[in-house]
Amino acid sequence: MAAIEVRDARVGDAGALVALWRELTTAGLPSRLPAPPSTAAAEVAVSKHLDDPLGRLVVVELDGDIHGMAYLRRTAVSPLHDDTTVTVEYLHVSDSARRHGLGKALIAEAVTWAEHESCAHLAVVAPAIAREANRFLARLGLGQAGVLRFANTHTVRRRLAAEHAPNLLALLSSRRSAFARRAQLGGAVGGAVVSSPAEPESAGK
């Protein structure tokens, strides 16, 4: 019987993680994911996750070799609720290791962590057109709650500008200036430099 192990990613896994990311971006599905990073950049990123109490980058091994990964993130279920959820993002298993239960092992790790952190909910991000992945998640009781769309901020700003809405463009410009002023106004208080966190713009405006 094949040996399956799920564990937190280590810095030495960077090369395998880059290879998995490359599979994600060349899997034949339309993708807007960033290009694969260098191994050195991935090593730095992995080291940061090791000390993050709200996020875990995990890998799954089959007979000692890494064949899958997932990013687990703990966050509020909504801005209006105290309940928390564990969100599974970038869930991927190599084609060469399918049908061995690696996907289930990754989801099981997410469930175990959610239970340990008293999170009553679990969410998994998957491409809307990835039929096999969505059927797999549906069999585990996960229903569709929305569609995640991803784009470069410059692209969205350019498309907004193309709408020729002077009021909207003026609002965007003023908000950008406000964020810049807020960053500049971070002053010294008691010898320490402080600044206020930027507030996100409302999606409905």
Side-chain angles (χ1 to χ4, degrees):
M1 181 178 295
I4 297 175
E5 179 186 1
V6 179
R7 59 172 176 79
D8 289 277
R10 299 188 287 259
V11 173
D13 300 327
L17 288 166
V18 170
L20 288 170
W21 191 268
R22 186 171 292 107
E23 291 179 6
L24 266 176
T25 58
T26 59
L29 297 173
S31 174
R32 293 179 180 266
L33 294 177
S38 66
T39 300
E43 289 175 349
V44 174
V46 172
S47 66
K48 293 179 180 179
H49 291 300
L50 295 175
D51 298 320
D52 184 2
L54 300 179
R56 295 175 58 199
L57 180 60
V58 297
V59 297
V60 60
E61 293 182 344
L62 179 66
D63 292 333
D65 294 322
I66 294 175
H67 285 285
M69 69 176 187
Y71 177 50
L72 314 182
R73 187 164 55 91
R74 183 161 56 91
T75 185
V77 70
S78 89
L80 302 179
H81 294 80
D82 289 332
D83 296 345
T84 55
T85 180
V86 166
T87 301
V88 182
E89 303 174 31
Y90 309 110
L91 175 68
H92 178 67
V93 174
S94 295
D95 288 340
S96 60
R98 297 284 174 87
R99 312 301 181 187
H100 286 88
L102 302 189
K104 288 182 179 178
L106 288 167
I107 296 297
E109 181 67 20
V111 170
T112 300
W113 192 47
E115 292 173 338
H116 181 268
E117 299 296 330
S118 300
C119 297
H121 307 279
L122 183 74
V124 182
V125 177
I129 61 174
R131 295 182 179 180
E132 183 178 353
N134 281 286
R135 283 197 295 265
F136 162 69
L137 296 172
R139 288 197 299 270
L140 297 179
L142 290 149
Q144 182 171 316
V147 176
L148 176 68
R149 294 183 178 271
F150 183 90
N152 182 281
T153 52
H154 176 72
T155 298
V156 179
R157 178 173 288 278
R158 188 176 68 249
R159 296 293 180 86
L160 287 169
E163 295 293 331
H164 301 292
N167 292 338
L168 175 59
L169 296 180
L171 173 62
L172 290 173
S173 179
S174 66
R175 292 295 289 159
R176 185 161 55 182
S177 298
F179 289 140
R181 286 196 301 271
R182 177 173 295 173
Q184 293 173 354
L185 289 175
V189 178
V193 176
V194 298
S195 62
S196 300
E199 298 176 0
E201 297 185 33
S202 170
K205 295 183 180 180

